[in-house]
Amino acid sequence: MSVSVAEATVTREGVDDERFQAAMLQDVSRTFALTIPELPRALRAVVGNGYLLCRIVDTIEDDPDLGYAQKRRFCTLFTNVVARRADPEEFARSLDAVLARAVPPAERLLVRETPRVIAIGDTFTAGQRKALETCVAIMADGMAEFQERKDPAGLPTLADMDRYCYHVAGVVGEMLTRLFCEYSPDIRRHEDRLMALAVSFGQTLQMTNILKDIWEDHKRGACWLPRDVFARHGFALADLDRGPGDAGFAQGLGELTDLARAHARRALEYILLIPREEAGIRNFCLWALGMAVLTLRKIDHRRNFSSGQEVKITRRSVKATVAVSRVSAGHDWLLRLLFALLAGAPRPSPRGV
């Protein structure tokens, strides 16, 4: 049974940790609120907690009023909080006091509830806590760095975009892999191969978000696209306002879409290394990958889009992804076939994969 954030706020002392985290996830990420319950019960709490920790870092990064130095300070402080080297109460009070009015209420509430999120983590194993701490430390440091480098004309190179994607999403793939391997000896047998593919799993999702949100980010004065890719096609990201109608921009967008799909193929290989018996873990990964591939398909078919809403997949597509994944999760050949149908045949290997 789920509970609204409003109810959790009023009765949080009487709401158990599982329902509390489910309520917070529902308000800060409907996607993860949908997928996390698919995981085995032994993983739900720690994965949910890990996402909430990452969402707090995202809140610091996204705040429009905080300066670079403030973001760096709060990112560093939060890393120390997660490592149990700083007081979560003090962190929550000091960050809440300076958050912009534009910060969504659910994210503000999550910041206020930092002490409880941290306390829930105290119930995890040492290995689980280490996986979360490592993820937050890398993410917080990288996000602070890239906020300082933020430029409405984009990032200098594709390598810079790859590095950005690693810090905001690839590390999450590594965190999940560490948690999955601790949970299952059968999964742990493939740990080296899984870790080698984990970053591509995270990068698929992050690149999809970057491409889908180009115009919303542009309105906020941010651009995470690589200038060198578009320059090869005769388009300067400094002229992004004319992007939707420019042939060079469309070609650069196509190159990045191909690159994202190449990462998606590696993400599928990651999922196929998970034992078929672990249908919950496979579905958790498949739903996210399926929605990303469908979004990339829409972007590629409509490269002149000017709003993320134009390439956002429908609720019907989400339901179809869930239904098809449930049926096919245990059949590797079927998953490969479905992926080929949705993502298309591989094109010449894009740079960076």
Side-chain angles (χ1 to χ4, degrees), residues 175-295:
M175 176 191 76
L176 290 171
T177 303
R178 292 186 177 102
L179 295 175
F180 295 163
C181 288
E182 178 172 301
Y183 160 77
S184 166
D186 288 336
I187 296 176
R188 190 158 58 248
R189 284 203 293 266
H190 302 294
E191 184 169 5
D192 289 345
R193 293 175 65 194
L194 285 166
M195 288 299 289
L197 295 168
V199 173
S200 278
F201 181 77
Q203 179 143 353
T204 301
L205 307 186
Q206 187 60 33
M207 284 192 70
T208 301
N209 286 334
I210 287 173
L211 297 178
K212 175 177 66 70
D213 296 336
I214 290 170
W215 306 112
E216 286 71 20
D217 287 341
H218 181 52
K219 289 177 182 176
R220 295 187 294 107
C223 179
W224 306 112
L225 301 174
R227 292 196 289 271
D228 63 343
V229 168
F230 289 89
R232 284 200 295 271
H233 300 284
F235 183 84
L237 287 176
D239 300 325
L240 194 55
D241 284 329
R242 63 179 179 86
D246 188 274
F249 178 79
Q251 290 171 344
L253 192 60
E255 183 176 332
L256 291 178
T257 303
D258 286 345
L259 175 60
R261 281 193 289 232
H263 281 293
R265 290 183 181 90
R266 289 172 58 82
L268 177 63
E269 295 305 314
Y270 175 95
I271 295 169
L272 295 180
L273 286 172
I274 304 294
R276 298 172 190 173
E277 296 75 20
E278 295 291 353
I281 296 178
R282 280 197 168 196
N283 276 319
F284 170 82
C285 297
L286 281 169
W287 293 2
L289 180 61
M291 287 184 276
V293 169
L294 288 174
T295 302

Side-chain angles (χ1 to χ4, degrees), residues 86-134:
D87 180 11
E89 295 276 1
E90 180 183 347
F91 165 82
R93 282 195 302 270
S94 58
L95 179 56
D96 183 47
V98 296
L99 284 175
R101 291 185 179 181
V103 172
E107 293 181 25
R108 185 181 294 275
L109 174 61
L110 177 58
V111 168
R112 291 172 180 166
E113 293 287 2
T114 297
R116 181 166 186 179
V117 175
I118 296 297
I120 291 171
D122 290 337
T123 66
F124 303 152
T125 68
Q128 289 174 330
R129 290 196 302 272
K130 183 64 176 176
L132 301 189
E133 288 174 21
T134 300

Side-chain angles (χ1 to χ4, degrees), residues 113-186:
E113 293 287 2
T114 297
R116 181 166 186 179
V117 175
I118 296 297
I120 291 171
D122 290 337
T123 66
F124 303 152
T125 68
Q128 289 174 330
R129 290 196 302 272
K130 183 64 176 176
L132 301 189
E133 288 174 21
T134 300
C135 178
V136 168
I138 295 172
M139 178 180 286
D141 183 65
M143 282 191 175
E145 174 194 338
F146 277 95
Q147 280 298 299
E148 293 173 10
R149 297 178 58 188
K150 184 169 66 174
D151 187 332
L155 294 168
T157 68
L158 179 59
D160 290 307
M161 189 184 76
D162 287 343
R163 190 161 175 270
Y164 173 72
C165 288
Y166 171 72
H167 280 287
V168 300
V171 292
V172 178
E174 292 177 338
M175 176 191 76
L176 290 171
T177 303
R178 292 186 177 102
L179 295 175
F180 295 163
C181 288
E182 178 172 301
Y183 160 77
S184 166
D186 288 336

